[in-house]
Short mmCIF file of all heavy atoms in Angstrom, two decimals:
data_model
loop_
_atom_site.label_atom_id
_atom_site.label_comp_id
_atom_site.label_asym_id
_atom_site.label_seq_id
_atom_site.Cartn_x
_atom_site.Cartn_y
_atom_site.Cartn_z
N THR A 156 140.76 47.00 58.75
CA THR A 156 139.75 46.15 59.38
C THR A 156 140.47 45.06 60.17
O THR A 156 141.17 44.23 59.59
CB THR A 156 138.84 45.51 58.32
OG1 THR A 156 138.21 46.54 57.58
CG2 THR A 156 137.78 44.65 58.97
N LEU A 157 140.30 45.14 61.47
CA LEU A 157 140.94 44.16 62.34
C LEU A 157 139.91 43.11 62.75
O LEU A 157 138.84 43.45 63.25
CB LEU A 157 141.48 44.86 63.60
CG LEU A 157 142.05 43.93 64.66
CD1 LEU A 157 143.40 43.40 64.24
CD2 LEU A 157 142.16 44.65 66.00
N VAL A 158 140.24 41.85 62.51
CA VAL A 158 139.35 40.78 62.95
C VAL A 158 139.96 40.12 64.18
O VAL A 158 141.14 39.77 64.18
CB VAL A 158 139.13 39.73 61.84
CG1 VAL A 158 138.37 38.53 62.40
CG2 VAL A 158 138.36 40.35 60.68
N ILE A 159 139.15 40.02 65.23
CA ILE A 159 139.61 39.35 66.45
C ILE A 159 138.94 37.98 66.50
O ILE A 159 137.72 37.88 66.44
CB ILE A 159 139.24 40.16 67.70
CG1 ILE A 159 139.87 41.55 67.63
CG2 ILE A 159 139.71 39.45 68.96
CD1 ILE A 159 139.45 42.48 68.75
N MET A 160 139.76 36.93 66.57
CA MET A 160 139.23 35.57 66.62
C MET A 160 139.59 34.95 67.97
O MET A 160 140.43 35.46 68.70
CB MET A 160 139.84 34.70 65.53
CG MET A 160 139.89 35.32 64.16
SD MET A 160 140.72 34.24 63.01
CE MET A 160 142.43 34.37 63.51
N GLY A 161 139.00 33.80 68.23
CA GLY A 161 139.34 33.09 69.45
C GLY A 161 138.17 32.29 69.93
O GLY A 161 137.02 32.60 69.61
N GLY A 162 138.44 31.26 70.71
CA GLY A 162 137.37 30.39 71.21
C GLY A 162 136.47 31.14 72.18
O GLY A 162 136.78 32.23 72.63
N SER A 163 135.34 30.53 72.51
CA SER A 163 134.41 31.16 73.44
C SER A 163 135.06 31.33 74.80
O SER A 163 135.82 30.48 75.23
CB SER A 163 133.16 30.28 73.60
OG SER A 163 132.64 29.99 72.34
N GLY A 164 134.77 32.43 75.46
CA GLY A 164 135.28 32.65 76.81
C GLY A 164 136.74 33.00 76.88
O GLY A 164 137.36 32.95 77.93
N CYS A 165 137.34 33.38 75.75
CA CYS A 165 138.77 33.70 75.76
C CYS A 165 139.04 35.21 75.82
O CYS A 165 140.14 35.66 75.57
CB CYS A 165 139.49 33.08 74.59
SG CYS A 165 139.93 31.37 74.95
N GLY A 166 138.02 35.98 76.12
CA GLY A 166 138.25 37.40 76.38
C GLY A 166 137.95 38.33 75.22
O GLY A 166 138.21 39.52 75.32
N LYS A 167 137.38 37.80 74.13
CA LYS A 167 137.09 38.67 72.97
C LYS A 167 136.09 39.77 73.33
O LYS A 167 136.34 40.95 73.05
CB LYS A 167 136.49 37.86 71.82
CG LYS A 167 137.40 36.82 71.22
CD LYS A 167 136.79 36.24 69.97
CE LYS A 167 135.39 35.70 70.15
NZ LYS A 167 135.28 34.41 70.80
N SER A 168 135.00 39.35 73.94
CA SER A 168 133.97 40.35 74.28
C SER A 168 134.48 41.35 75.32
O SER A 168 134.17 42.53 75.25
CB SER A 168 132.72 39.66 74.82
OG SER A 168 132.21 38.81 73.84
N THR A 169 135.27 40.83 76.27
CA THR A 169 135.84 41.72 77.29
C THR A 169 136.73 42.77 76.63
O THR A 169 136.68 43.95 76.97
CB THR A 169 136.66 40.90 78.31
OG1 THR A 169 135.88 39.77 78.69
CG2 THR A 169 137.01 41.70 79.52
N LEU A 170 137.53 42.32 75.67
CA LEU A 170 138.42 43.24 74.96
C LEU A 170 137.60 44.31 74.23
O LEU A 170 137.89 45.51 74.28
CB LEU A 170 139.28 42.45 73.95
CG LEU A 170 140.25 43.23 73.08
CD1 LEU A 170 141.19 44.08 73.92
CD2 LEU A 170 141.04 42.30 72.18
N LEU A 171 136.52 43.86 73.57
CA LEU A 171 135.64 44.79 72.86
C LEU A 171 135.05 45.82 73.83
O LEU A 171 135.00 47.02 73.54
CB LEU A 171 134.53 44.00 72.18
CG LEU A 171 133.81 44.65 71.01
CD1 LEU A 171 134.79 45.00 69.91
CD2 LEU A 171 132.74 43.72 70.47
N ARG A 172 134.61 45.33 75.01
CA ARG A 172 134.01 46.24 75.99
C ARG A 172 135.00 47.28 76.50
O ARG A 172 134.61 48.38 76.88
CB ARG A 172 133.45 45.44 77.18
CG ARG A 172 132.25 44.63 76.82
CD ARG A 172 131.34 44.37 78.00
NE ARG A 172 129.98 44.22 77.54
CZ ARG A 172 129.51 43.11 76.98
NH1 ARG A 172 130.27 42.07 76.85
NH2 ARG A 172 128.26 43.04 76.58
N HIS A 173 136.28 46.93 76.53
CA HIS A 173 137.28 47.94 76.92
C HIS A 173 137.40 49.01 75.85
O HIS A 173 137.58 50.18 76.16
CB HIS A 173 138.65 47.28 77.14
CG HIS A 173 138.79 46.66 78.48
ND1 HIS A 173 138.52 45.32 78.70
CD2 HIS A 173 139.14 47.16 79.67
CE1 HIS A 173 138.70 45.07 79.99
NE2 HIS A 173 139.08 46.17 80.60
N MET A 174 137.30 48.58 74.59
CA MET A 174 137.48 49.56 73.52
C MET A 174 136.30 50.52 73.41
O MET A 174 136.46 51.65 72.97
CB MET A 174 137.72 48.83 72.19
CG MET A 174 139.10 48.18 72.15
SD MET A 174 139.51 47.57 70.50
CE MET A 174 138.81 45.95 70.55
#
Side-chain angles (χ1 to χ4, degrees):
Chain A
T156 301
L157 174 74
V158 172
I159 302 174
M160 314 176 287
S163 308
C165 276
K167 296 189 306 284
S168 300
T169 313
L170 178 56
L171 201 59
R172 290 207 151 78
H173 278 94
M174 288 190 273

